[in-house]
Amino acid sequence: MICLDHIALIVSTERSILFYEKLGFKETKRIERSYDTVVFMQCGQVILEIFVDPNHPDRVMAPEAKGLRHIAFSVDSLDEVMKELECEKVRTDWFGRKFTFTKDPDGQPIELIEVKPEIRSAEYSMEDKWVQEYKAQFGTEPSFM
C-alpha cells in the first residue's frame, strides 16, 4: 500500500503561512534553524512541510518546468474560499466538479475543487414500516428493493 505522506513547499515569507491558514490549515509544529524555518501544517489528512527561506530562487512560471505542476485541495464550498482568496473564474472539470485556481504568495498554483458529499442510494430493509405498508397495499415489494 502507498499513501501520500506530506507535501513539502519552499516559500519566501510567513505570508504563505497565512495563505494556507485561510484554506483551513493549522500549524502543528515549528522548527527554527539558522538558515530557515520549517513549519508543519495540517488540514484533515493533508500535511504540509513548509520551508520559509527568502534565499531560494523564484519559481519558473513560463515555460513550465517538468515536475510538480500544481497542488489540488478539495473544499466544501468554493464560494466561501473565494471570499478569502483571489481566484480565477470557476470552471467544471472532467468529472463534473466545480474548480478554480489561485496562487500562494510565491506563485505556486493551487487548484481548489468543490467536492460535494456523494448522494448514496438509501438502503431499505423488509422490516421497514413503509416497505411493509407498500407490500400490504400493492401485494408486492417496491421494484427498487
Side-chain angles (χ1 to χ4, degrees):
M1 180 175 100
I2 188 167
C3 297
L4 180 65
D5 186 76
H6 69 276
I7 301 167
L9 300 168
I10 299 171
V11 302
S12 62
T13 68
E14 290 280 330
R15 287 187 351 231
S16 291
I17 304 303
L18 299 173
F19 171 85
Y20 289 102
E21 285 176 347
K22 288 179 181 179
L23 287 174
F25 284 88
K26 304 279 188 244
E27 184 174 323
T28 59
K29 185 172 186 161
R30 180 178 287 254
I31 301 165
E32 300 284 344
R33 301 189 293 186
S34 61
Y35 51 92
D36 70 358
T37 301
V38 184
V39 179
F40 289 88
M41 301 185 82
Q42 185 166 358
C43 182
Q45 298 298 313
V46 180
I47 298 170
L48 300 178
E49 180 181 17
I50 301 177
F51 296 84
V52 182
D53 182 0
N55 298 316
H56 276 79
D58 288 339
R59 175 181 167 77
V60 176
M61 297 302 289
E64 284 186 321
K66 291 181 176 126
L68 180 68
R69 186 171 197 177
H70 64 268
I71 301 169
F73 297 116
S74 59
V75 298
D76 293 330
S77 169
L78 285 178
D79 291 335
E80 289 302 312
V81 172
M82 292 174 76
K83 290 177 185 175
E84 295 290 325
L85 301 172
E86 186 176 324
C87 300
E88 295 178 359
K89 71 176 191 146
V90 174
R91 296 175 278 167
T92 303
D93 72 7
W94 294 287
F95 305 101
R97 304 174 300 179
K98 291 186 345 183
F99 77 99
T100 188
F101 275 90
T102 188
K103 290 183 179 173
D104 77 5
D106 288 304
Q108 172 66 46
I110 306 293
E111 183 178 7
L112 303 169
I113 304 166
E114 186 172 86
V115 179
K116 298 291 184 187
E118 291 180 342
I119 300 173
R120 293 187 170 87
S121 300
E123 294 182 342
Y124 300 104
S125 162
M126 287 303 298
E127 288 77 38
D128 289 344
K129 183 179 177 184
W130 79 268
V131 174
Q132 293 298 322
E133 291 172 351
Y134 186 96
K135 190 173 183 180
Q137 183 177 358
F138 299 104
T140 184
E141 297 172 9
S143 60
F144 55 83
M145 299 257 328

